């Protein structure tokens, strides 16, 4: 069975893990510190929304890595979380905002028949929350 995951580069991976726990109820699976860069994580994994999110600190493209949204001036993709009900969209957005996310598109009923909203986490990554509305 195929699956798709996301691997985020952040400036402050340990702090991002703490944020994802507070904002999204993530469960930490693992973290691998860097021997060459004290205080930075080479790799980490958290379980959230039924999947696994992998992340690492920003080591720079020159070191064979990728850049964080802060270095890029934005992110190149959005993560969309499918939830079971419109009320869950509102609750997820409120919890994430309370934990430090910035709402960029308040949750609202959309023309395509769903409740949808977006936010930016403190590390620059965009998260969308979507749930179909009852007919």
């Amino acid at each position: 069975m195929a699956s798709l995951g996301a691997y985020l580069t952040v400036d402050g991976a340990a702090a991002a893990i703490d944020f994802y726990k507070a904002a999204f109820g993530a469960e930490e699976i693992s973290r691998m510190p860097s021997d060459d860069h004290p205080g930075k994580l080479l790799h980490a994994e958290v379980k959230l929304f039924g999947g696994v999110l992998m992340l690492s600190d920003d080591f720079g493209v020159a070191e064979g890595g990728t850049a964080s949204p802060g270095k890029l001036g934005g992110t190149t993709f959005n993560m969309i979380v499918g939830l079971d009900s419109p009320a869950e969209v509102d609750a997820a957005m409120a919890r994430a905002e309370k934990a430090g996310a910035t709402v960029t598109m308040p949750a609202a009923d959309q023309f395509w028949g769903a409740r949808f909203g977006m936010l930016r986490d403190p590390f620059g990554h965009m998260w969308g929350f979507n749930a179909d509305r009852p007919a």
Side-chain angles (χ1 to χ4, degrees), residues 42-59:
L42 287 174
H43 178 81
E45 296 180 7
V46 295
K47 188 184 305 184
L48 72 164
F49 301 117
V52 174
L53 175 69
M54 296 173 281
L55 63 148
S56 71
D57 270 295
D58 185 336
F59 291 95

Side-chain angles (χ1 to χ4, degrees), residues 49-50 80-93 109 113-116 128-135:
F49 301 117
I80 307 299
V81 178
L83 297 171
D84 292 330
S85 72
E88 288 182 47
V89 170
D90 294 341
M93 297 276 296
D109 294 341
R115 185 145 184 95
F116 181 82
F129 295 90
N130 187 76
D132 291 336
R133 292 191 324 263

Side-chain angles (χ1 to χ4, degrees), residues 75-108:
T75 185
T76 62
F77 77 105
N78 301 324
M79 288 168 283
I80 307 299
V81 178
L83 297 171
D84 292 330
S85 72
E88 288 182 47
V89 170
D90 294 341
M93 297 276 296
R95 180 176 178 175
E97 184 177 23
K98 183 177 179 182
T102 301
V103 173
T104 60
M105 179 181 177

Side-chain angles (χ1 to χ4, degrees), residues 4-10 16-17 20 24 26-30 43-56 77 79 121 125 127:
L4 176 67
Y7 199 115
L8 303 180
T9 301
V10 298
I17 292 169
Y20 297 141
F24 304 138
E27 176 186 327
E28 185 174 333
I29 298 170
S30 66
H43 178 81
E45 296 180 7
V46 295
K47 188 184 305 184
L48 72 164
F49 301 117
V52 174
L53 175 69
M54 296 173 281
L55 63 148
S56 71
F77 77 105
M79 288 168 283
D121 72 27
H125 290 287
W127 296 77

